DNA sequence: CCGATATATCGATGATTGTCAATATATTTC
DNA sequence: GAAATATATTGACAATCATCGATATATCGG
């Protein structure tokens, strides 16, 4: 805690003024942080980009491995991270797996960055 | 690489169709990933929220420590991460340090999540 | 100059992460 | 059923991270 009385800001705000009126929900923060953590890797951003720009049928994993520049197990791992973060869903059709973006989850994270 | 010929999607998209037309810039992805990594922690989201909702004079660190529920060195560390990610700037006025949000950087990350 | 205070840095530690090779599972084709 | 293929899982390892206590640096008030 601030024991000494803080000085006045050179502008108009007094020191130690209440920072905003909205209470910060720690549970929400943890959920958002998990989402952002999934985006905190260039390979996963690349994967998400490819899945996003794929058609309505989704993106086949077989098309994601080579452009990612990573091994198949590594790509599978990153897709799992994206899935568990709620950013994509997967669907198996025959031998192939197809991934789709979850627009609502992306929008939620985008909305958290509103100004 | 996909040695076997892939089947047709149940919808209209053929398998292994080219996923999107926009080339993915790896350098951009790395820069974006660094930004999202800074947001991938509940404590930093809380700090950023408090700094964002503070007035034009910025947020005094002395006001951020107690609500964060973390020790002073830990808060200092997280603020450094946010600073090095370009999300906030710091200014020292006397004994106190004041932090400001960098709206352009936040907007850049938000824009990367566009649908 | 001295004591008090605000913030940053250092050092250590336990936890998490990204990566790949090896292996497992499941599906298709012959 | 056997061989081939697509994807997932496991195990290991180096690297990074979140956290705190201790300490350093700097500023203010007397």
């Amino acid at each position: 805690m601030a024991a000494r009385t803080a000085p006045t800001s050179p502008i108009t705000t007094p020191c130690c003024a209440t920072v905003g009126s909205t209470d910060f929900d720690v549970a929400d923060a943890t959920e958002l942080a998990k989402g952002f953590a999934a985006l905190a890797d260039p390979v996963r951003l690349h994967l998400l980009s490819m899945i996003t720009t794929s058609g309505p049928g989704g993106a086949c994993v077989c098309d994601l491995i080579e452009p990612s520049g990573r091994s198949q197990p590594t790509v599978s791992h990153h897709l799992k991270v994206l899935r568990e973060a709620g950013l994509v869903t997967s669907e198996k059709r025959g031998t192939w797996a197809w991934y789709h973006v979850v627009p609502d989850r992306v929008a939620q994270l985008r909305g958290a960055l509103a100004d």
Side-chain angles (χ1 to χ4, degrees), chain A:
Chain A
M1 49 193 95
R4 184 189 296 180
T5 315
T8 310
S9 154
I11 314 188
T12 51
T13 323
C15 170
C16 305
T18 314
V19 279
S21 50
T22 54
D23 283 297
F24 191 79
D25 191 329
V26 178
D28 276 5
T30 302
E31 188 56 32
L32 287 174
K34 285 178 185 171
F36 287 127
L39 301 175
D41 183 279
V43 176
R44 283 196 293 270
L45 284 179
H46 190 184
L47 292 171
L48 187 64
S49 167
M50 290 189 286
I51 296 170
T52 301
T53 58
S54 72
C60 179
V61 175
C62 63
D63 286 328
L64 303 176
I65 296 175
E66 192 253 282
S68 78
R70 295 296 187 282
S71 70
Q72 178 269 319
T74 298
V75 171
S76 192
H77 161 70
H78 283 306
L79 289 173
K80 185 179 186 179
V81 172
L82 288 172
R83 215 183 325 126
E84 289 179 339
L87 284 161
V88 302
T89 55
S90 69
E91 172 200 2
K92 203 134 185 222
R93 300 209 285 267
T95 312
W96 289 267
W98 301 77
Y99 278 75
H100 303 259
V101 172
V102 179
D104 284 356
R105 175 64 161 156
V106 177
Q108 180 197 20
L109 297 176
R110 183 174 57 239
L113 296 180
D115 215 6

